[in-house]
Amino acid sequence: MSINSAEKTFQNPTLVRARHALPLRNIFTNLFPFILFLLLTCANTQAEDGSRLWLRFDPIENSPLLQSYRQTVTGLTVEGTSETEKIIQTELASALKNLLGQNLSNSPEGGKLIVGTPESSALIARLKLDKELKRLGPEGYVIRTLKEKNKTTVIASQSPIGALYGTFYFLRLLQTHQPIEDLNIVEKPKVKLRVLDHWDNLDGTIERGYAGKTLWNWKELPGKVDQRLKDYARANASIGINGSVLNNVNSNPIFLTEEYLHKIAAIASVFRPYGIKVYLAANFAAPKKIGGMTTSDPLDPQVAEWWKTKVDEIYKIIPDFGGFLVKANSENQSGPQDYGRTHADGANLLAKALQPHGGIVMWRSFVYNADVDPDRINRAYKEFKPLDGKFLKNVLIQSKNGALDFQPREPFSPLFGALRKTPLMAELQVTQEYLGHSNHLVYLGTMWEEFFKSDTYSKGPYSTVARVVEGKVFKYQITGVAGVANTGTDRNWTGHLFGQANWYAFGRFAWNPESSAKEVSEEWTRMTWGNDPQLVNPIVGMMMGSRETYVNYVTPLGLSGVFEKDLHYAPDPGMVDPRREDWSAAYYVRADEKGLGFNRTLTGSRNVNQYHPPLNHRFNGFSTCPEKFLLWFHHVAWGQKMKSGKPFWEELCSRYDQGVSEAGECQKNWDLLKGKVDGERFGAVADKLKIQVEDAKKWRDKCLLYFQTFSHQPLPAGKP
Ligand code: BDP
C-alpha cells in the first residue's frame, strides 16, 4: 500500500466502535448523515503511525516563509517521459501542493522551477551546463537560481536519477525551512555504491530484524508486487541509496534458482526508476547445492562454467543486476577454504562471471577462524592483508566498521588503511543488534561520524577512514558503503520511530562519509517532527547524546562482548558459550582478581601492531590510549588511577551510573515535549523510553554485581 493510500484507508477505531454502540435502528437512521460526515472527514485524517517517515510534507504554516516560497515557485516544468521523470513530476506536484497549498501542474512552456537533463529539456540544454554536469556524473546535480531568467530555479543533472536526487534535495530545503530564492548547489556522491544489506530469509523472518517481517513477499511475487516496495524505493532514493541486497548473508541458494530470479526481477523493476539496483547474497556452495555438481571448488573449470552460466541467466532476467555479496568461510558458511583455496580465489571466481555484465562482488572480511590467531579480532587482518592486490578489479572487500562485530563502540578495523590495492567497502549496521534492538533510542550518526573521522595514518596524517572509503587515499576504482538494514513490515518501518533516523543517517553518510551527525540529525528532526526550535533543539540534543549514554550503561570505557547469548539484547557479562570460546562474553570481558579488559598491547595479543604509527604506540600505552578504548586494548587493574583521579573501579561504577541517569534525562526531555508533537507518535516514543530506562538499570546492576565478584570492592551508595 502506498503511503498516501494507506492514510486514506485508515479508519478511526473510536468511530468504528461508536457506530456499533448505537443500538436502535431508528437512531442510527437519524444519525446516519452525521456519522457519514464524520467518517468521511476522518477518512482523510492522517494516522500518525510514522509510516510517512521523513517524507511528510506537512503544510508550511510560517506565513512570511510561505509567501516567499510561493513567490519563488510559481510554476513547474519537468520534461522527459522516462519513468523516473514521471516520478519527479508527481513527487514535486504532490509535495508542493502539500507544503505550499498550491497546485503547480506541469507547464511545458516553462515555469519557475525547471527539472531535467540536457537531453530531456531544451531549456536546460540551452543553459550549457554539459561540462559541469559531466564532471558531476550521472548521480550528481546542480540546483541553481538563474538571475538573468527571472529567478528561475533549475534542478539539472546528466541523468534522470540525478535529477530525482536533486528534487529530493530541493524538497528538503523546503521541509527544513531554508531559503530558496538564491541557490547555487552542486552535489555529487562521494561513494559509488550505497547499499542496504537486508538479512532477510526465505521464510519471511529477518536475521537481526526488529521491525516485523521481510518486505519481500516471496509467496506473492512475481504476480503481485506489494505497493510498499515502491514506498521503500522512494524513501531510499530520497537519501541517495542506490542498491539493495535482498537476502541474508547466511544465504539460501534457492534465491539463485530461476523461479526466484523472476520474483527478484519483479522487485528490480519497481526499484529501477528510483535508481536502485538489486544484488543477491550468493551461497558459495550453490554449484553443489542447486547445480547438481559434486564440488564447488573455485579452481575447478566446471564450477567456473556453472557460475558463468548462472550469471548469464541472471542478467537475461535482470539486465541491470548489481552483483553478489558473499559471506564465505565464516560462521558455518562454505567458502573457498573448504577446498584449500584462498578468499581471492573465491572472489575472483564470481568476479570473472560478473565482469562482462558490469557486475561486482562484495566479499566480506567478517571471518574469524580460531586457528588463525588466539585473539578473534586479529584474524581478518591476518587473512586479508596478504591477499591485497590479488583480487580482480570488480571485487570490493566489505569490512564491518570495527574488527569485532558491531559493538556499541569499537576502534575502526585496522583493515581500513591496510589494503592499498583492493577497494575496501565499509559495512555499518543500521539495525541495532547490539544497541538495544528497536527498544532503545540510539542515534547512530555520531558513531558513524566517529568512525569515518578516525585517522588511519595509512598514508601519513589525514588518511581518515572516510577518505580511505572514498578511494582518495589509495585511489580505489570502485567505492562503497553498506548498511545492514533496520526496515521491516512494521507500519513505522523500523520498530522505534527514532530508528528511522538511523536509516536516514545511513543514506546521508553513505552519500558523504564526511557528513556531520549533528546536521543530519537536525535535518531529520525538522522533516520528521517539525521545525519549531522548541522541538528541534531538545530532540537533536537527545539524539546527539544517545549513543554515548548507551555506551555508558552497556560498554563503558571500551568494554565489549558483554551480551547474552544469541539474542544480544540483555547483559550477561559472565556468559560462557560451550560452542565457541569467542562467542563467550567472558572471553572479551576478561574479568579477574587483578582487573578487567582484554590485553591487546605488545604484552598481550599485540593487536595494536595492526595499526599504523603513531596509533600503535598510542593504543599500546596506558596513559596515551583514549579512555573510550581502554578496556578494548588494556587489562586495567581495579585500583588503577584514572584521568579523573578516581580508581578504576569507582570510575567504572560512575560511568554505569551516568548512563542510567542520562537515560532518565532523555526520558524527561521527551516528556517535556508532550502536546508539542502528535499524541500517537509521542506515546510510541514514550513507551519505548520507559523500557530503555528500566533496561539501563538492569545493565548497570547486572554488570556491576558480576564485576564486583572479582573486584571485591563496595558498590557506590544506593546500588543493590
Ligand atoms: C553477527 C550476527 C549474525 C550475522 C553475522 C554476520 O550476530 O547474525 O550473521 O554477524 O555479519 O553480528 O555475518
Side-chain angles (χ1 to χ4, degrees), residues 14 49 86 90-91 96 149 214 233 246 287 293 299 311 313 322 441 491 531 558 662 701:
T14 326
D49 55 11
K86 281 188 213 146
T90 331
E91 193 66 51
L96 293 173
K149 297 231 182 255
T214 179
L246 298 181
M293 303 197 47
L299 297 193
V311 168
E313 180 194 358
L441 189 164
R491 286 299 302 151
N531 281 282
E662 285 168 354
D701 298 346

PDB file of all heavy atoms in Angstrom, residues 14 49 86 90-91 96 149 214 233 246 287 293 299 311 313 322 441 491 531 558 662 701:
ATOM      1  N   THR A  14     -12.066   4.502  17.064  1.00  0.00           N
ATOM      2  CA  THR A  14     -13.061   5.025  18.001  1.00  0.00           C
ATOM      3  C   THR A  14     -14.397   5.187  17.297  1.00  0.00           C
ATOM      4  O   THR A  14     -15.451   4.837  17.831  1.00  0.00           O
ATOM      5  CB  THR A  14     -12.626   6.394  18.535  1.00  0.00           C
ATOM      6  OG1 THR A  14     -11.227   6.393  18.629  1.00  0.00           O
ATOM      7  CG2 THR A  14     -13.278   6.720  19.834  1.00  0.00           C
ATOM      8  N   ASP A  49       1.188   7.129  12.444  1.00  0.00           N
ATOM      9  CA  ASP A  49       1.822   5.868  12.812  1.00  0.00           C
ATOM     10  C   ASP A  49       3.283   5.833  12.384  1.00  0.00           C
ATOM     11  O   ASP A  49       3.949   4.818  12.477  1.00  0.00           O
ATOM     12  CB  ASP A  49       1.064   4.694  12.185  1.00  0.00           C
ATOM     13  CG  ASP A  49       0.927   4.848  10.673  1.00  0.00           C
ATOM     14  OD1 ASP A  49       1.585   5.732  10.107  1.00  0.00           O
ATOM     15  OD2 ASP A  49       0.159   4.085  10.064  1.00  0.00           O
ATOM     16  N   LYS A  86       8.715  10.882 -14.698  1.00  0.00           N
ATOM     17  CA  LYS A  86       7.300  10.927 -14.272  1.00  0.00           C
ATOM     18  C   LYS A  86       7.217  10.944 -12.748  1.00  0.00           C
ATOM     19  O   LYS A  86       6.370  11.625 -12.165  1.00  0.00           O
ATOM     20  CB  LYS A  86       6.547   9.713 -14.838  1.00  0.00           C
ATOM     21  CG  LYS A  86       6.185   9.900 -16.302  1.00  0.00           C
ATOM     22  CD  LYS A  86       5.278   8.758 -16.744  1.00  0.00           C
ATOM     23  CE  LYS A  86       5.539   8.424 -18.201  1.00  0.00           C
ATOM     24  NZ  LYS A  86       5.399   7.015 -18.508  1.00  0.00           N
ATOM     25  N   THR A  90       5.357  13.779 -10.410  1.00  0.00           N
ATOM     26  CA  THR A  90       4.325  13.508  -9.404  1.00  0.00           C
ATOM     27  C   THR A  90       4.804  13.911  -8.015  1.00  0.00           C
ATOM     28  O   THR A  90       4.051  14.481  -7.219  1.00  0.00           O
ATOM     29  CB  THR A  90       3.998  11.991  -9.358  1.00  0.00           C
ATOM     30  OG1 THR A  90       4.240  11.445 -10.632  1.00  0.00           O
ATOM     31  CG2 THR A  90       2.634  11.700  -8.862  1.00  0.00           C
ATOM     32  N   GLU A  91       6.055  13.585  -7.734  1.00  0.00           N
ATOM     33  CA  GLU A  91       6.614  13.869  -6.409  1.00  0.00           C
ATOM     34  C   GLU A  91       6.577  15.377  -6.136  1.00  0.00           C
ATOM     35  O   GLU A  91       6.125  15.816  -5.081  1.00  0.00           O
ATOM     36  CB  GLU A  91       8.052  13.354  -6.385  1.00  0.00           C
ATOM     37  CG  GLU A  91       8.700  13.277  -5.037  1.00  0.00           C
ATOM     38  CD  GLU A  91       8.053  12.242  -4.118  1.00  0.00           C
ATOM     39  OE1 GLU A  91       7.867  11.067  -4.496  1.00  0.00           O
ATOM     40  OE2 GLU A  91       7.701  12.644  -3.003  1.00  0.00           O
ATOM     41  N   LEU A  96       4.657  19.906  -3.384  1.00  0.00           N
ATOM     42  CA  LEU A  96       4.460  21.361  -3.371  1.00  0.00           C
ATOM     43  C   LEU A  96       3.020  21.712  -3.018  1.00  0.00           C
ATOM     44  O   LEU A  96       2.752  22.712  -2.349  1.00  0.00           O
ATOM     45  CB  LEU A  96       4.863  21.967  -4.718  1.00  0.00           C
ATOM     46  CG  LEU A  96       6.370  21.867  -5.022  1.00  0.00           C
ATOM     47  CD1 LEU A  96       6.681  22.329  -6.435  1.00  0.00           C
ATOM     48  CD2 LEU A  96       7.197  22.664  -4.013  1.00  0.00           C
ATOM     49  N   LYS A 149      17.230  34.917 -15.707  1.00  0.00           N
ATOM     50  CA  LYS A 149      15.984  34.373 -16.234  1.00  0.00           C
ATOM     51  C   LYS A 149      14.860  34.555 -15.228  1.00  0.00           C
ATOM     52  O   LYS A 149      14.186  33.590 -14.849  1.00  0.00           O
ATOM     53  CB  LYS A 149      16.137  32.881 -16.547  1.00  0.00           C
ATOM     54  CG  LYS A 149      17.152  32.571 -17.614  1.00  0.00           C
ATOM     55  CD  LYS A 149      16.540  31.673 -18.672  1.00  0.00           C
ATOM     56  CE  LYS A 149      17.571  31.315 -19.707  1.00  0.00           C
ATOM     57  NZ  LYS A 149      17.461  31.960 -20.948  1.00  0.00           N
ATOM     58  N   THR A 214       9.996  -9.546   6.610  1.00  0.00           N
ATOM     59  CA  THR A 214      10.595  -9.031   5.375  1.00  0.00           C
ATOM     60  C   THR A 214       9.556  -8.278   4.539  1.00  0.00           C
ATOM     61  O   THR A 214       8.367  -8.603   4.568  1.00  0.00           O
ATOM     62  CB  THR A 214      11.194 -10.182   4.535  1.00  0.00           C
ATOM     63  OG1 THR A 214      11.738  -9.637   3.332  1.00  0.00           O
ATOM     64  CG2 THR A 214      10.157 -11.223   4.157  1.00  0.00           C
ATOM     65  N   ALA A 233      11.443   2.111  -2.009  1.00  0.00           N
ATOM     66  CA  ALA A 233      12.379   2.613  -3.020  1.00  0.00           C
ATOM     67  C   ALA A 233      12.409   4.142  -3.000  1.00  0.00           C
ATOM     68  O   ALA A 233      13.466   4.765  -3.096  1.00  0.00           O
ATOM     69  CB  ALA A 233      11.972   2.109  -4.394  1.00  0.00           C
ATOM     70  N   LEU A 246      19.062  -8.252  -1.379  1.00  0.00           N
ATOM     71  CA  LEU A 246      17.736  -8.649  -0.906  1.00  0.00           C
ATOM     72  C   LEU A 246      17.724  -9.752   0.150  1.00  0.00           C
ATOM     73  O   LEU A 246      16.750  -9.905   0.864  1.00  0.00           O
ATOM     74  CB  LEU A 246      16.880  -9.101  -2.098  1.00  0.00           C
ATOM     75  CG  LEU A 246      16.613  -8.037  -3.172  1.00  0.00           C
ATOM     76  CD1 LEU A 246      15.733  -8.610  -4.269  1.00  0.00           C
ATOM     77  CD2 LEU A 246      15.951  -6.803  -2.568  1.00  0.00           C
ATOM     78  N   PRO A 287      26.917 -24.319  -6.545  1.00  0.00           N
ATOM     79  CA  PRO A 287      27.082 -25.325  -7.602  1.00  0.00           C
ATOM     80  C   PRO A 287      26.737 -26.731  -7.107  1.00  0.00           C
ATOM     81  O   PRO A 287      26.120 -27.522  -7.822  1.00  0.00           O
ATOM     82  CB  PRO A 287      28.563 -25.227  -7.977  1.00  0.00           C
ATOM     83  CG  PRO A 287      28.954 -23.824  -7.609  1.00  0.00           C
ATOM     84  CD  PRO A 287      28.112 -23.482  -6.398  1.00  0.00           C
ATOM     85  N   MET A 293      26.279 -30.400  -8.841  1.00  0.00           N
ATOM     86  CA  MET A 293      27.686 -30.745  -9.056  1.00  0.00           C
ATOM     87  C   MET A 293      28.255 -31.434  -7.828  1.00  0.00           C
ATOM     88  O   MET A 293      27.678 -31.387  -6.750  1.00  0.00           O
ATOM     89  CB  MET A 293      28.475 -29.477  -9.373  1.00  0.00           C
ATOM     90  CG  MET A 293      27.888 -28.781 -10.578  1.00  0.00           C
ATOM     91  SD  MET A 293      28.943 -27.583 -11.327  1.00  0.00           S
ATOM     92  CE  MET A 293      30.484 -28.404 -11.448  1.00  0.00           C
ATOM     93  N   LEU A 299      38.579 -23.417  -8.219  1.00  0.00           N
ATOM     94  CA  LEU A 299      39.553 -23.599  -9.302  1.00  0.00           C
ATOM     95  C   LEU A 299      39.135 -24.716 -10.268  1.00  0.00           C
ATOM     96  O   LEU A 299      39.855 -25.030 -11.218  1.00  0.00           O
ATOM     97  CB  LEU A 299      40.948 -23.865  -8.743  1.00  0.00           C
ATOM     98  CG  LEU A 299      41.549 -22.720  -7.915  1.00  0.00           C
ATOM     99  CD1 LEU A 299      43.036 -22.934  -7.677  1.00  0.00           C
ATOM    100  CD2 LEU A 299      41.335 -21.345  -8.557  1.00  0.00           C
ATOM    101  N   VAL A 311      25.271 -16.699 -13.980  1.00  0.00           N
ATOM    102  CA  VAL A 311      25.296 -15.233 -14.039  1.00  0.00           C
ATOM    103  C   VAL A 311      24.696 -14.741 -15.362  1.00  0.00           C
ATOM    104  O   VAL A 311      23.914 -13.776 -15.378  1.00  0.00           O
ATOM    105  CB  VAL A 311      26.739 -14.706 -13.818  1.00  0.00           C
ATOM    106  CG1 VAL A 311      26.845 -13.229 -14.169  1.00  0.00           C
ATOM    107  CG2 VAL A 311      27.158 -14.926 -12.365  1.00  0.00           C
ATOM    108  N   GLU A 313      22.403 -16.162 -17.004  1.00  0.00           N
ATOM    109  CA  GLU A 313      20.948 -16.343 -16.831  1.00  0.00           C
ATOM    110  C   GLU A 313      20.370 -15.184 -15.998  1.00  0.00           C
ATOM    111  O   GLU A 313      19.334 -14.603 -16.348  1.00  0.00           O
ATOM    112  CB  GLU A 313      20.690 -17.678 -16.119  1.00  0.00           C
ATOM    113  CG  GLU A 313      19.225 -17.979 -15.877  1.00  0.00           C
ATOM    114  CD  GLU A 313      19.029 -19.133 -14.875  1.00  0.00           C
ATOM    115  OE1 GLU A 313      20.028 -19.722 -14.401  1.00  0.00           O
ATOM    116  OE2 GLU A 313      17.858 -19.417 -14.553  1.00  0.00           O
ATOM    117  N   GLY A 322      23.009  -5.985  -9.889  1.00  0.00           N
ATOM    118  CA  GLY A 322      24.201  -5.318  -9.355  1.00  0.00           C
ATOM    119  C   GLY A 322      25.390  -6.235  -9.123  1.00  0.00           C
ATOM    120  O   GLY A 322      26.532  -5.877  -9.396  1.00  0.00           O
ATOM    121  N   LEU A 441      16.500   4.154  22.188  1.00  0.00           N
ATOM    122  CA  LEU A 441      16.751   5.300  21.308  1.00  0.00           C
ATOM    123  C   LEU A 441      18.273   5.516  21.257  1.00  0.00           C
ATOM    124  O   LEU A 441      18.872   5.987  22.223  1.00  0.00           O
ATOM    125  CB  LEU A 441      16.045   6.539  21.875  1.00  0.00           C
ATOM    126  CG  LEU A 441      15.997   7.809  21.027  1.00  0.00           C
ATOM    127  CD1 LEU A 441      14.946   8.759  21.585  1.00  0.00           C
ATOM    128  CD2 LEU A 441      17.311   8.515  20.863  1.00  0.00           C
ATOM    129  N   ARG A 491       4.358  -0.823  10.611  1.00  0.00           N
ATOM    130  CA  ARG A 491       3.819   0.376   9.964  1.00  0.00           C
ATOM    131  C   ARG A 491       4.825   1.520   9.973  1.00  0.00           C
ATOM    132  O   ARG A 491       4.889   2.321   9.053  1.00  0.00           O
ATOM    133  CB  ARG A 491       2.522   0.848  10.665  1.00  0.00           C
ATOM    134  CG  ARG A 491       1.290   0.017  10.394  1.00  0.00           C
ATOM    135  CD  ARG A 491       0.895  -0.029   8.917  1.00  0.00           C
ATOM    136  NE  ARG A 491       0.649   1.285   8.364  1.00  0.00           N
ATOM    137  CZ  ARG A 491       0.848   1.590   7.070  1.00  0.00           C
ATOM    138  NH1 ARG A 491       1.300   0.686   6.233  1.00  0.00           N
ATOM    139  NH2 ARG A 491       0.594   2.797   6.642  1.00  0.00           N
ATOM    140  N   ASN A 531       9.598  21.984  12.583  1.00  0.00           N
ATOM    141  CA  ASN A 531      10.669  22.980  12.529  1.00  0.00           C
ATOM    142  C   ASN A 531      10.729  23.906  13.739  1.00  0.00           C
ATOM    143  O   ASN A 531      11.622  24.737  13.834  1.00  0.00           O
ATOM    144  CB  ASN A 531      10.512  23.823  11.262  1.00  0.00           C
ATOM    145  CG  ASN A 531      11.022  23.093  10.035  1.00  0.00           C
ATOM    146  OD1 ASN A 531      12.218  23.014   9.808  1.00  0.00           O
ATOM    147  ND2 ASN A 531      10.126  22.512   9.253  1.00  0.00           N
ATOM    148  N   GLY A 558      35.368   1.207  26.819  1.00  0.00           N
ATOM    149  CA  GLY A 558      35.957   0.287  25.830  1.00  0.00           C
ATOM    150  C   GLY A 558      35.650  -1.178  26.056  1.00  0.00           C
ATOM    151  O   GLY A 558      36.256  -2.044  25.428  1.00  0.00           O
ATOM    152  N   GLU A 662      21.573   9.479  32.523  1.00  0.00           N
ATOM    153  CA  GLU A 662      21.358  10.126  31.219  1.00  0.00           C
ATOM    154  C   GLU A 662      20.127   9.553  30.502  1.00  0.00           C
ATOM    155  O   GLU A 662      19.390  10.285  29.844  1.00  0.00           O
ATOM    156  CB  GLU A 662      22.593   9.954  30.324  1.00  0.00           C
ATOM    157  CG  GLU A 662      23.743  10.861  30.722  1.00  0.00           C
ATOM    158  CD  GLU A 662      25.063  10.492  30.042  1.00  0.00           C
ATOM    159  OE1 GLU A 662      25.106   9.450  29.341  1.00  0.00           O
ATOM    160  OE2 GLU A 662      26.041  11.217  30.220  1.00  0.00           O
ATOM    161  N   ASP A 701      23.179  -2.860  36.959  1.00  0.00           N
ATOM    162  CA  ASP A 701      23.183  -3.719  38.136  1.00  0.00           C
ATOM    163  C   ASP A 701      23.786  -5.087  37.836  1.00  0.00           C
ATOM    164  O   ASP A 701      24.613  -5.595  38.588  1.00  0.00           O
ATOM    165  CB  ASP A 701      21.755  -3.849  38.689  1.00  0.00           C
ATOM    166  CG  ASP A 701      21.227  -2.481  39.141  1.00  0.00           C
ATOM    167  OD1 ASP A 701      22.055  -1.554  39.253  1.00  0.00           O
ATOM    168  OD2 ASP A 701      20.006  -2.337  39.358  1.00  0.00           O
TER     169      ASP A 701
END
